[in-house]
Amino acid sequence: TPYGTNAANTLYTYVAAPTVIAISPANGPTVGGASITITGTNLTGATGVTIGGTAATSVTVVSATSITAVTPAGSAGSASVLVTTVGGTNAANTLYTYVSPPTVTAISPSAGPTVGGTSVTITGTNFTGATGVTIGGTAATSVTVVSSTSITAVTPAGAAGSASVLVTTAGGTNAANTLYSYVAAPTVTAISPSTGPTSGGTSVTITGTNLTGATGVTIGGTVATSVTVVSSTSITAVTPAGTAGSASVLVTTAGGTNAANTLYSYVAAPTVTAISPSTGPTSGGTSVTITGTNFTGATGVTIGGTAATSVTVVSSTSITAVTPAGAAGSASVLVTTSGGTNAANTLYSYVAAPTVTAISPSTGPTSGGTSVIITGTNFTGATGVTIGGTAATSVTVVSSTSITAVTPAGTAGSASVLVTTAGGTNAANTLFTYVAAPTVTAISPNSGPTTGGTSVTITGTNFTGATGVTIGGTAATSVTVVSSTSITAVTPAGSAGTASVLVTTSGGTNAANTLFTYVAAPTVTAISPNSGPTTGGTSVTITGTGFTGTTGVTIGGTAATSVTIVSATSITAVTPAHAAGTASVLVTTSGGTNAANTLYSYVAAPTVTAISPNAGPATGGTSVTITGTGFTGATGVTIGGVAATSVTVVSATSITAVTPAGAAGTA
């Protein structure tokens, strides 16, 4: 201006035009919608992106060299990718290609098994660059793009029914369809009848699933004849000849062939080689196992010409059954199957049942262990003896009429003596009686001296017929069974401590216990103080042994008072009154009373009858002689309440002393 020029500034910016050098991915479907990344230069501040002349959407400027966007719809073929900024628009190009979506018009073959694995050829358009093939939603394998109109692949496994064949390319995926069908493989669940002769010719019905369109049926690997598909679950046919044993029934359809099985069996005529056990009672009822060959599908078993019961075909070589009644002697065991009946034999023998008429001895303890002789009939081959339902031990079959055994433990009361042989078991009986062992629950009194001689009452159960009572292992005396629950007796001598009270009957002896206690007699070794007044009332401590449970203390034959058991070796008490002289200190427990002694002395109270001289100065110091009784052991002399000095006990009747100072007057 006339006034000058403004200061320099950077208010305006020249911007270089953008360049686009690449787009990724470089192709996509004509319907648009593909996320792409555009690479170039000077992309900052881009105001628009077009692909094939149409604006892209979701444009994001990531940096000066990168933009992301979503393609618009476009026509098949190359398209120019243009970015516009304030610096202008890049040069036209052919960096992006719109691709038409594929179409699928056919697949051959159009059906196959659900397990997949079928090689197919897919026909359609726009297959070039196909990136995937799915059939029924699952990726096919071994995919080969033969041309833009043909792809070969192998089907994946799929569910039975129609399946969509989809091809994916850069142009997208074809529309859903039902061009391919998965066919479930057939299953065979049964064949009826399931057995037949090796010569074949048996009319059978095969049951299963997915049997429609069956193209073949084999049994044991040989083609069946007269095959008729009745429905998707049933086929009728005639068996071919086959080898004895199981045979696989196979049906083939477009869905494949069912799994191998052993549903049909060719049966040879049975043979019977053994029966176990091979003997049993004439009344029947024996569970037996018949061994042989070709038993599968057996329709009948007879023993001695009579049908067995509870027949079970365990395997082709084993049958279990229960024998019918039969006459004593051998019997033929015959098995009938669809293959025929075995030859006659003498494999089984019917045996008469045993009888038991006596057992000796006929009673014993519940603990068992009694040796007995059982008498009866048909004992030969006895396999077991039970008494009261429990197996006897040491069983020896002496002869067909005699068995020796040892009784097992049992419950008190009568018990059945049963002998079991191949002929069965004898009838129940009450030939043996178990006697319960005694129990001892208490003894009263439950303690006594080691010298014995205590009259006691024993309480318990099953005392009837008791043959002995011991306490601490020594026989009690004067034993009287009062009742089945009570016995009186006199204890023998025993050692100090607990002792087992045992009662013995025909039922045995009760369990060891510690119900009775032998108690050692107490001893008294000292009493302190060991003397006191005849009036009693002296608190004393008695020392000795065995004082626990003391029931009484006497001193000089009179009960002491305030007796306290301090310990097994110490008692405190207060002396009773007693005449002057020595006295025995006796302690009584359940173990008895200690030996007499002269441990305590009662001392008469002293008397004073005279003092000479009987007067003296108040200052004291007078030598006096005191006369009286009971002076022995004098512990003090006072005159006027003050202790005299130089006290000497001359005798029980005389003491000399020196008077203390005192107040004028009598003292």
Side-chain angles (χ1 to χ4, degrees):
T1 69
Y3 301 101
T5 302
N6 61 283
N9 55 60
T10 57
L11 294 176
Y12 186 78
T13 302
Y14 284 99
V15 179
T19 66
V20 173
I21 55 178
I23 185 170
S24 177
N27 50 44
T30 56
V31 293
S35 293
I36 57 173
T37 298
I38 302 168
T39 303
T41 61
N42 306 316
L43 303 181
T44 302
T47 57
V49 173
T50 62
I51 300 176
T54 303
T57 58
S58 301
V59 175
T60 300
V61 179
V62 178
S63 67
T65 59
S66 177
I67 292 175
T68 61
V70 174
T71 62
S75 301
S78 62
S80 186
V81 181
L82 300 179
V83 175
T84 299
T85 70
V86 293
T89 300
N90 61 280
N93 53 63
T94 58
L95 291 174
Y96 190 73
T97 302
Y98 279 104
V99 181
S100 296
T103 64
V104 174
T105 56
I107 185 172
S108 178
S110 60
T114 56
V115 294
T118 303
S119 294
V120 294
T121 298
I122 303 168
T123 303
T125 62
N126 302 317
F127 288 167
T128 301
T131 56
V133 173
T134 63
I135 301 176
T138 303
T141 58
S142 303
V143 176
T144 301
V145 179
V146 178
S147 68
S148 64
T149 61
S150 177
I151 292 174
T152 60
V154 174
T155 62
S162 61
S164 189
V165 181
L166 301 180
V167 174
T168 298
T169 70
T173 301
N174 61 281
N177 53 63
T178 56
L179 292 174
Y180 190 75
S181 294
Y182 279 106
V183 180
T187 66
V188 173
T189 56
I191 184 171
S192 178
S194 60
T195 60
T198 55
S199 59
T202 302
S203 294
V204 293
T205 297
I206 301 168
T207 304
T209 61
N210 306 315
L211 304 181
T212 302
T215 56
V217 173
T218 62
I219 301 176
T222 303
V223 175
T225 58
S226 303
V227 175
T228 300
V229 179
V230 178
S231 68
S232 65
T233 60
S234 179
I235 292 174
T236 60
V238 174
T239 62
T243 303
S246 61
S248 190
V249 181
L250 301 179
V251 175
T252 299
T253 70
T257 300
N258 61 281
N261 53 62
T262 56
L263 293 174
Y264 191 76
S265 294
Y266 284 104
V267 182
T271 65
V272 174
T273 55
I275 184 172
S276 178
S278 60
T279 59
T282 55
S283 58
T286 302
S287 293
V288 293
T289 298
I290 302 167
T291 304
T293 62
N294 306 317
F295 288 166
T296 303
T299 55
V301 173
T302 62
I303 299 176
T306 303
T309 57
S310 301
V311 175
T312 301
V313 179
V314 178
S315 68
S316 65
T317 60
S318 179
I319 290 175
T320 60
V322 175
T323 61
S330 61
S332 188
V333 181
L334 301 179
V335 174
T336 298
T337 71
S338 55
T341 301
N342 61 282
N345 53 62
T346 56
L347 292 174
Y348 191 74
S349 295
Y350 281 104
V351 181
T355 64
V356 173
T357 55
I359 185 173
S360 177
S362 60
T363 61
T366 55
S367 58
T370 304
S371 294
V372 293
I373 297 174
I374 303 168
T375 304
T377 63
N378 303 318
F379 288 167
T380 302
T383 56
V385 172
T386 62
I387 300 176
T390 304
T393 58
S394 303
V395 175
T396 301
V397 179
V398 178
S399 68
S400 65
T401 61
S402 178
I403 291 174
T404 60
V406 173
T407 63
T411 305
S414 60
S416 190
V417 181
L418 301 179
V419 174
T420 299
T421 70
T425 302
N426 60 281
N429 53 61
T430 56
L431 292 174
F432 189 76
T433 301
Y434 279 106
V435 179
T439 65
V440 173
T441 55
I443 183 171
S444 178
N446 62 2
S447 63
T450 55
T451 56
T454 303
S455 293
V456 293
T457 297
I458 302 168
T459 303
T461 61
N462 306 316
F463 288 167
T464 303
T467 56
V469 173
T470 63
I471 301 176
T474 303
T477 57
S478 302
V479 175
T480 300
V481 179
V482 178
S483 68
S484 65
T485 61
S486 179
I487 291 174
T488 60
V490 174
T491 62
S495 301
T498 59
S500 189
V501 181
L502 301 179
V503 175
T504 300
T505 71
S506 59
T509 301
N510 62 281
N513 53 63
T514 56
L515 292 174
F516 190 76
T517 302
Y518 280 106
V519 181
T523 65
V524 174
T525 56
I527 183 170
S528 178
N530 62 1
S531 62
T534 57
T535 56
T538 302
S539 293
V540 294
T541 298
I542 303 167
T543 305
T545 62
F547 289 168
T548 303
T550 294
T551 56
V553 174
T554 62
I555 301 176
T558 302
T561 58
S562 301
V563 175
T564 300
I565 303 169
V566 178
S567 67
T569 61
S570 179
I571 293 173
T572 61
V574 174
T575 62
H578 191 273
T582 59
S584 188
V585 181
L586 300 180
V587 174
T588 299
T589 70
S590 58
T593 302
N594 60 282
N597 53 61
T598 57
L599 293 174
Y600 191 75
S601 295
Y602 279 100
V603 181
T607 65
V608 174
T609 57
I611 184 170
S612 178
N614 61 359
T619 56
T622 303
S623 293
V624 294
T625 298
I626 303 168
T627 303
T629 63
F631 288 171
T632 303
T635 58
V637 173
T638 63
I639 300 174
V642 179
T645 59
S646 302
V647 175
T648 301
V649 179
V650 178
S651 67
T653 60
S654 178
I655 292 174
T656 61
V658 175
T659 63
T666 61

